[in-house]
Structure formats: C-alpha cells, structure tokens
Amino acid sequence: MRYFITLSYDGTRYHGWQVQPNGISVQGELQRGLSLLFRDDLQVTGAGRTDAGVHASMMVAHFDTDREVDCRQLAYKLNRLLPHDIAVSKVEPVRDDLHARFSATRRTYHYFVHTHKDPFLRHYSCELHYTLDFALMNEAASLLLTYEDFGAFCKSHADVKTTLCHVTKAEWTEMSSGQWRFEITANRFLRNMVRAVVGTLIEVGRGRMTVDDFRKVIEGKRRTEAGESMPANALFLVDIRY
C-alpha cells in the first residue's frame, strides 16, 4: 500500500528537505520516525526539494508498506517522535500509482517582505530598506505567465533535464502596511527559481531594471542577467495539488 503524509515544517534548522550527507534534513527526520515505528528501513519521497532554510506550511510525501496502517494513530505517533519544528497533519492511503512528486499538478510558494524594522517578522520575512514600486513589480510579474522557459532563474549548474515550467499565477499583495507577499503558482519549479524571480522583481521595483529589461532577462535564459537570490527564511511552500 502507498500512503501520503501531509506535513509542515520550519526549515530554519535544516539543510533542506532532501537527505544530506553532512547535515540534518526534513526527509531524514521523517524517515527516522517512520523506521522507528515500523522497525523497518522506510524511505519517503517528497513533492519537492525545498532548499536549506526554506519552510513549508504544506508538504506531501509518500511511503510504501505491506503492513496495515492506522492512519490517525500513525500521525499521532509521528508527531510524538518528530522534532518540534516538524508537524504531521494527516496520513492517508492513496492509489499505488499516485506519486508525491510526479503526480503533483501544481505547487504554490509565498515569499514575504517587509519595509520597516519589526522584530516579530525578522525570522520569516525579508526586511528591505528601500522604496519599491509594487505596481511595476506586478506588471513585470505578469510576464511570467507568458513564458515557459525559466533558465534565467535556475541555479547555475543545477542537474535538471528541462527548464520549462508553466506559471499560472505571479502576484504581489499587500498584507498590511509595509508587509507584502509574493505568490507564485506553477506546475513545477526549478532549483532556486522563486528566490531568483523575487530578487529580479525587486530590481524592477527599485528602478534598477525596467519591465522590458525583465522580459529580456527571461528571454535571455542566463542566470547571470537576473537579480540576486533572496534569503531563504522568507520563502514558504504553501500548497500542492494533485
């Protein structure tokens, strides 16, 4: 049987989702908990591979087992075993051909910025100290829906077979005075893509790049022409659809 685990985590302490040889990972902690409970070496596959320091208010992973599973009890026991910064919301049986990563049809990320000093936002939002034209940034962001090749926003030398993605939403929204959220939805994301997109849009907002320049960055497909990668602590994976 195949089971989906829906979980959330604060990525601050972790070297990303994926198991790393020299650092703790969310995947590693989840596998450790499952292996202890099942007394077997269980492997989990996640819907994505969030980078070091990136958070998830929703992540989905699957595992396979021949044993009968009480889903509610398993979720309860996992939460007792997992560290305080990882929480399982549910475990559910799914079809054997449903894959946490490859069956996902869309994913949504949020990136948070604030334009004033606030001690209660510093861990989960990026503090910026310059004036930004968010209307212009939204004009540039809308261009993302008209292209499919995002090589310009892919981490250099990333091991990917294709840089094609289908973006269906890209928009800045003011949450409260001086607090903004960038929401982006696509069928898939490249490594470091969201933080590179945000960094390039901020160049537009600062007046250091025009909307037409942003278009040329996309069309040029060169990472060196795009903006800097923004800090990981303000990025959240928030939704996955199947």
Side-chain angles (χ1 to χ4, degrees):
M1 280 287 294
R2 176 159 291 178
Y3 293 86
F4 268 20
I5 300 175
T6 303
L7 65 151
S8 58
Y9 53 85
D10 179 329
T12 303
R13 292 194 310 124
Y14 298 98
H15 288 70
W17 160 264
Q18 194 172 16
V19 169
Q20 303 291 327
N22 299 309
I24 61 172
S25 68
V26 180
Q27 182 186 28
E29 290 297 312
L30 188 57
Q31 288 181 170
R32 181 185 63 82
L34 283 169
S35 298
L36 281 171
L37 291 173
F38 282 84
R39 298 183 180 179
D40 193 7
D41 185 21
L42 291 185
Q43 304 295 308
V44 300
T45 299
R49 300 174 181 175
T50 55
D51 291 336
V54 175
H55 318 291
S57 55
M58 179 188 183
M59 170 62 90
V60 177
H62 78 249
F63 71 96
D64 299 316
T65 180
D66 294 329
R67 294 172 56 178
E68 275 193 39
V69 173
D70 182 327
C71 292
R72 290 185 65 182
Q73 274 296 305
L74 179 57
Y76 171 78
K77 290 178 180 178
L78 275 173
N79 279 324
R80 295 291 298 271
L81 281 173
L82 289 168
H84 65 280
D85 47 13
I86 303 175
V88 171
S89 56
K90 65 179 177 179
V91 178
E92 57 188 330
V94 296
R95 302 190 318 268
D96 286 345
D97 64 343
L98 202 60
H99 193 282
R101 182 180 178 189
F102 298 124
S103 298
T105 57
R106 69 181 189 186
R107 299 160 171 85
T108 298
Y109 280 89
H110 287 169
Y111 194 91
F112 296 91
V113 303
H114 57 286
T115 57
H116 58 277
K117 187 175 182 180
D118 189 323
F120 302 106
L121 294 177
R122 71 188 191 280
H123 293 305
Y124 305 108
S125 177
C126 180
E127 186 175 320
L128 302 175
H129 295 285
Y130 29 77
T131 301
L132 293 170
D133 186 336
F134 284 95
L136 204 60
M137 290 160 69
N138 269 331
E139 185 181 342
S142 68
L143 294 177
L144 297 169
L145 280 64
T146 66
Y147 290 88
E148 290 194 332
D149 193 331
F150 295 102
F153 305 117
C154 183
K155 186 170 184 177
S156 300
H157 310 299
D159 183 21
V160 293
K161 295 180 180 178
T162 176
T163 52
L164 300 181
C165 307
H166 180 54
V167 177
T168 53
K169 184 173 185 178
E171 184 179 33
W172 288 94
T173 303
E174 188 171 20
M175 309 304 294
S176 61
S177 180
Q179 296 180 38
W180 292 78
R181 180 188 74 198
F182 179 63
E183 180 173 336
I184 184 167
T185 300
N187 63 326
R188 64 188 291 265
F189 287 92
L190 307 172
R191 186 176 181 190
N192 208 53
M193 176 175 165
V194 180
R195 289 190 284 151
V197 166
V198 172
T200 312
L201 288 172
I202 285 174
E203 292 294 287
V204 174
R206 296 181 69 181
R208 297 168 59 169
M209 183 182 290
T210 66
V211 173
D212 193 50
D213 289 337
F214 186 80
R215 181 192 296 275
K216 290 175 181 176
V217 167
I218 300 173
E219 293 177 350
K221 306 174 187 177
R222 294 168 59 89
R223 179 66 186 93
T224 53
E225 301 299 318
E228 68 176 329
S229 178
M230 299 298 287
N233 68 295
L235 182 60
F236 289 75
L237 173 61
V238 300
D239 191 37
I240 303 162
R241 297 296 176 93
Y242 292 90

